[in-house]
Amino acid sequence: MLKGKTVLLGVTGGIAAYKAAYLASALVKLHANVEVVMTKNATQFIAPLTFEQLTGRRCMVDTFDRNFSHQVEHIALADRTDLVIIAPATANVCAKLAHGLADDMLTTTVLACTCPKLIAPAMNTHMYENQVTQDNLDTLRRYGWEVIAPGSGHLACGAVGPGRMPEPQQLVDHILRHLALPHDLEGRHVLVTAGPTQEALDPVRYLTNHSTGKMGYAVARVAMLRGAQVTLVTGPTALEPPPFVEVVPVVSAQDMFEAVSQRQEWADFIFKAAAVADYTPAGYSDDKMKKKDGDLSIPLKRTTDILQHLGAHRRAGQVICGFSMETRDMLENSAAKLEKKKVDMICANNLKVAGAGFGTDTNVITLITAAGARELPLMSKEEAAGEILDAALALAP
Ligand SMILES: Cc1cc2nc3c(=O)[nH]c(=O)nc-3n(C[C@H](O)[C@H](O)[C@H](O)COP(=O)(O)O)c2cc1C
């Protein structure tokens, strides 16, 4: 996901410097060019050789190293850097960067960088909470740095509280948000529903369906990576929600309906990927569903059709996209849904095709709009999410 991108990883003299090796390794696995610049004090904690082996590149420490060829290395490096991350950042380096000091290779190079800059302060809790450190971090924020809050817990120095460097995967998530995909959805609000819903039959049992939520979660994640502000309304799933996404957990179709209708006005794009089955019993009537004395069962109620509601209450300029699962007559049924529910696009799945539908990591989708149907080949759900978002963006005013 980071092929062709250059990440400058600054490592400073804190106890968490060893964690930077995991970060360097994770970035290399994502095909980034990782340039590590260490402070002299950081080399007391971890050797440059470790980073050189992990990245396959020279690790820089000394601004006046004569082994570089013809260019002024700190400027050449700053020019080719797509993103700077300093992790861990000592209190000392935070202070130096906040005041524009440039007295070593790291601070000099970073001062010359114009790309996005991230900093993960990691230190003893009292050092972190000290007003002077907080003021320095505020100054960095004012200068456009993204300050990644440290974790809380037992620190190596024995203190308990904030100051721990976040786990490398969390830092990778921050980097991916900046670099993985072009931000063509910046400033847009995207509402996604995902997963199954559950309808209680009695205090113990419930009705549900086979949805795992993978397709909806992929749409939410890719929209986030493309710069959108994303809210994911999700039924119960086993999936880790994507980072930087507001997650609204729901259980029943009615919960989902309420969560979605409250947010409809806010959304520029709505993707209803949740599999809310209609559990309305055949021949339902309010009279028939009345409970007899002593009956513990929960009467099933009429299920509100969320997509139909969204279509009927759309605001101007909103793009609404539904998903359909069909076992036969997929095109006809999906096109009919497009009309009946007054939505802009239906992403149709043929459940009988190998690699499509519930639970798989791949999908075979046909995108149906007023302009016609376009069948996509077998692809990962993340790739399919990208295609769905492209198509939705093309429909937006
Ligand atoms: C064992 C040890 C652990 C340290 N851990 C940290 C730390 O986690 N965070 C921090 O800000 N300073 C820490 N320090 C203090 C820094 O190493 C010191 O402020 C140093 O000047 C930082 O240099 P640099 O910012 O140029 O890397 C530690 C010092 C020692 C001896």
Side-chain angles (χ1 to χ4, degrees):
M1 286 194 102
L2 294 176
K3 202 171 172 56
K5 301 290 182 186
T6 298
V7 176
L8 190 163
L9 169 59
V11 182
T12 69
I15 196 72
Y18 75 95
K19 283 194 191 172
Y22 294 96
L23 176 57
S25 166
L27 293 172
V28 168
K29 284 185 191 138
L30 291 168
H31 307 288
N33 308 320
V34 184
E35 301 275 8
V36 180
V37 182
M38 301 175 75
T39 61
K40 199 156 173 288
N41 288 329
T43 65
Q44 295 285 334
F45 293 84
I46 183 167
L49 185 62
T50 303
F51 291 108
E52 289 176 349
Q53 289 304 306
L54 290 171
T55 64
R57 287 161 194 270
R58 180 102 186 269
C59 172
M60 285 161 279
V61 181
D62 178 3
T63 324
F64 300 100
D65 189 335
R66 302 311 311 150
N67 277 334
F68 294 117
S69 49
H70 43 283
Q71 290 160 313
V72 182
E73 187 53 25
H74 62 273
I75 302 297
L77 176 55
D79 286 349
R80 65 174 185 272
T81 294
D82 294 298
L83 178 138
V84 170
I85 180 160
I86 305 189
T90 54
N92 177 53
V93 151
C94 295
K96 288 208 279 185
L97 292 171
H99 293 88
L101 298 188
D103 63 354
D104 62 8
M105 181 68 183
L106 178 60
T107 49
T108 308
T109 306
V110 166
L111 198 59
C113 283
T114 54
C115 59
K117 289 182 268 211
L118 280 51
I119 190 160
M123 62 199 70
N124 162 273
T125 299
H126 299 304
M127 289 169 80
Y128 177 69
E129 287 178 343
N130 193 310
Q131 194 55 50
V132 71
T133 302
Q134 290 301 314
D135 287 349
N136 288 333
L137 295 176
D138 281 344
T139 303
L140 288 171
R141 285 187 195 96
R142 267 198 299 115
Y143 290 140
W145 284 76
E146 182 176 325
V147 178
I148 303 172
S152 259
H154 264 280
L155 306 184
C157 58
V160 180
R164 189 161 56 194
M165 179 169 137
E167 292 311 309
Q169 185 52 48
Q170 272 173 272
L171 301 178
V172 168
D173 287 337
H174 279 267
I175 294 166
L176 287 175
R177 180 160 67 140
H178 281 275
L179 291 186
L181 295 171
H183 280 195
D184 55 356
L185 289 172
E186 189 82 58
R188 307 290 192 117
H189 294 169
V190 173
L191 178 60
V192 183
T193 72
T197 53
Q198 293 176 354
E199 303 303 322
L201 289 172
D202 58 34
V204 178
R205 297 169 301 159
Y206 57 80
L207 278 173
T208 189
N209 59 51
H210 288 294
S211 170
T212 58
K214 283 183 180 173
M215 192 62 242
Y217 276 54
V219 172
R221 178 177 158 76
V222 174
M224 175 277 292
L225 290 174
R226 287 168 64 161
Q229 210 177 313
V230 182
T231 295
L232 173 64
V233 176
T234 174
T237 75
L239 302 175
E240 184 73 30
F244 314 115
V245 161
E246 185 207 10
V247 178
V248 182
V250 294
V251 176
S252 68
Q254 184 60 24
D255 297 342
M256 185 168 278
F257 167 71
E258 283 165 20
V260 169
S261 52
Q262 278 163 20
R263 291 164 178 82
Q264 171 158 16
E265 187 61 24
W266 166 87
D268 299 310
F269 295 89
I270 305 178
F271 299 91
K272 208 221 107 217
V276 182
D278 184 354
Y279 297 122
T280 311
Y284 173 92
S285 82
D286 289 336
D287 265 3
K288 271 198 221 159
M289 301 312 287
K290 271 197 189 132
K291 286 178 27 150
K292 297 191 182 74
D293 285 349
D295 179 4
L296 278 185
S297 67
I298 297 166
L300 285 171
K301 295 191 196 81
R302 205 184 293 276
T303 310
T304 313
D305 186 327
I306 297 178
L307 196 57
Q308 186 136 3
H309 178 91
L310 290 169
H313 294 84
R314 63 163 63 244
R315 73 153 160 76
Q318 194 164 53
V319 176
I320 303 174
C321 172
F323 286 66
S324 81
M325 299 268 188
E326 308 287 348
T327 47
R328 62 195 167 91
D329 302 329
M330 183 186 79
L331 280 185
E332 296 74 7
N333 291 344
S334 303
K337 219 178 233 184
L338 188 72
E339 286 251 314
K340 187 169 166 231
K341 316 236 163 166
K342 297 189 174 51
V343 296
D344 304 287
M345 182 163 70
I346 294 287
C347 305
N349 263 286
N350 185 340
L351 287 182
K352 290 202 167 148
V353 174
F358 292 128
T360 60
D361 289 325
T362 54
N363 218 347
V364 184
I365 279 186
T366 302
L367 301 178
I368 300 163
T369 64
R374 182 160 65 92
E375 188 180 336
L376 303 176
L378 178 75
M379 57 178 71
S380 73
K381 283 188 171 164
E382 289 234 337
E383 286 167 327
E387 294 277 352
I388 291 166
L389 287 164
D390 285 348
L393 199 51
L395 293 169

